[in-house]
Protein backbone atom coordinates (compact mmCIF):
# COMPACT_ATOMS: atom_id res chain seq x y z
CA UNK A 1 0.00 0.00 0.00
CA UNK A 2 1.35 3.41 -0.96
CA UNK A 3 0.41 6.22 1.37
CA UNK A 4 0.50 9.79 0.27
CA UNK A 5 1.67 12.12 3.01
CA UNK A 6 0.16 15.55 2.70
CA UNK A 7 2.23 18.36 4.19
CA UNK A 8 0.47 20.07 7.06
CA UNK A 9 -0.12 23.77 6.73
CA UNK A 10 1.39 25.79 9.53
CA UNK A 11 -0.72 28.53 11.07
CA UNK A 12 1.45 31.62 10.94
CA UNK A 13 1.44 35.37 11.46
CA UNK A 14 0.74 35.68 7.72
CA UNK A 15 -2.70 34.15 8.41
CA UNK A 16 -3.43 36.98 10.86
CA UNK A 17 -3.06 40.10 8.68
CA UNK A 18 0.32 41.08 10.10
CA UNK A 19 1.52 44.53 9.10
CA UNK A 20 5.08 45.33 8.04
CA UNK A 21 5.50 47.32 11.27
CA UNK A 22 4.35 44.35 13.40
CA UNK A 23 6.56 41.95 11.44
CA UNK A 24 9.56 44.21 11.95
CA UNK A 25 8.80 44.49 15.69
CA UNK A 26 8.65 40.70 16.08
CA UNK A 27 11.28 39.43 13.62
CA UNK A 28 13.14 42.35 12.12
CA UNK A 29 13.21 42.98 8.39
CA UNK A 30 10.09 41.79 6.49
CA UNK A 31 10.44 38.51 4.59
CA UNK A 32 8.41 36.78 1.93
CA UNK A 33 6.17 33.94 3.05
CA UNK A 34 8.54 31.39 1.47
CA UNK A 35 11.55 32.83 3.31
CA UNK A 36 9.63 32.86 6.57
CA UNK A 37 8.42 29.27 6.20
CA UNK A 38 11.83 27.90 5.13
CA UNK A 39 12.80 26.46 8.53
CA UNK A 40 9.79 27.29 10.67
CA UNK A 41 8.35 24.81 13.18
CA UNK A 42 4.74 24.99 14.37
CA UNK A 43 5.96 25.85 17.88
CA UNK A 44 7.93 28.81 16.51
CA UNK A 45 4.93 29.89 14.46
CA UNK A 46 2.78 29.79 17.62
CA UNK A 47 5.44 31.80 19.48
CA UNK A 48 5.32 34.46 16.76
CA UNK A 49 1.52 34.51 17.02
CA UNK A 50 1.86 34.88 20.79
CA UNK A 51 4.14 37.90 20.29
CA UNK A 52 1.82 39.35 17.62
CA UNK A 53 -1.19 39.29 19.92
CA UNK A 54 0.86 40.62 22.84
CA UNK A 55 1.88 43.50 20.59
CA UNK A 56 -1.79 44.05 19.74
CA UNK A 57 -2.54 43.96 23.49
CA UNK A 58 -4.93 41.02 23.06
CA UNK A 59 -3.63 38.96 25.97
CA UNK A 60 -6.44 36.41 25.81
CA UNK A 61 -5.53 35.41 22.25
CA UNK A 62 -1.79 35.66 23.04
CA UNK A 63 -2.16 33.15 25.89
CA UNK A 64 -4.19 30.88 23.61
CA UNK A 65 -1.21 30.63 21.22
CA UNK A 66 1.31 30.34 24.05
CA UNK A 67 -0.58 27.33 25.38
CA UNK A 68 -0.53 25.65 21.94
CA UNK A 69 3.28 25.38 22.06
CA UNK A 70 4.07 21.71 22.69
CA UNK A 71 7.67 22.12 23.87
CA UNK A 72 7.30 22.84 27.61
CA UNK A 73 10.74 24.43 28.02
CA UNK A 74 10.22 26.70 25.02
CA UNK A 75 6.75 27.74 26.24
CA UNK A 76 7.94 28.44 29.79
CA UNK A 77 10.95 30.40 28.50
CA UNK A 78 8.71 32.61 26.38
CA UNK A 79 6.38 33.18 29.28
CA UNK A 80 9.23 34.15 31.62
CA UNK A 81 10.84 36.43 29.01
CA UNK A 82 7.51 38.11 28.39
CA UNK A 83 7.04 38.79 32.13
CA UNK A 84 10.52 40.29 32.39
CA UNK A 85 10.05 42.50 29.33
CA UNK A 86 6.68 43.78 30.48
CA UNK A 87 8.06 45.06 33.81
Amino acid sequence: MNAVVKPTKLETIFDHNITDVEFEEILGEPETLDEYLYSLSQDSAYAHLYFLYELREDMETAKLYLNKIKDDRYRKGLSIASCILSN
Side-chain angles (χ1 to χ4, degrees):
M1 174 187 279
N2 291 332
V4 175
V5 178
K6 292 183 181 181
T8 58
K9 182 189 179 310
L10 297 178
E11 181 179 5
T12 72
I13 53 181
F14 283 95
D15 298 314
H16 293 258
N17 301 315
I18 191 165
T19 66
D20 287 343
V21 172
E22 290 170 329
F23 192 98
E24 198 168 314
E25 183 76 25
I26 295 167
L27 293 167
E29 212 169 298
E31 301 175 338
T32 66
L33 179 59
D34 287 338
E35 291 169 333
Y36 176 70
L37 292 174
Y38 181 70
S39 62
L40 185 71
S41 71
Q42 184 64 76
D43 275 354
S44 291
Y46 286 149
H48 297 158
L49 285 162
Y50 166 66
F51 290 131
L52 176 63
Y53 282 99
E54 261 196 337
L55 190 60
R56 292 177 177 175
E57 297 182 2
D58 181 349
M59 295 313 296
E60 188 174 322
T61 305
K63 287 179 184 178
L64 230 166
Y65 284 104
L66 181 65
N67 290 329
K68 286 185 173 195
I69 297 172
K70 292 181 181 177
D71 184 322
D72 289 336
R73 290 176 63 194
Y74 186 35
R75 184 178 58 253
K76 288 176 186 171
L78 291 172
S79 184
I80 291 168
S82 181
C83 287
I84 292 169
L85 293 174
S86 67
N87 287 330

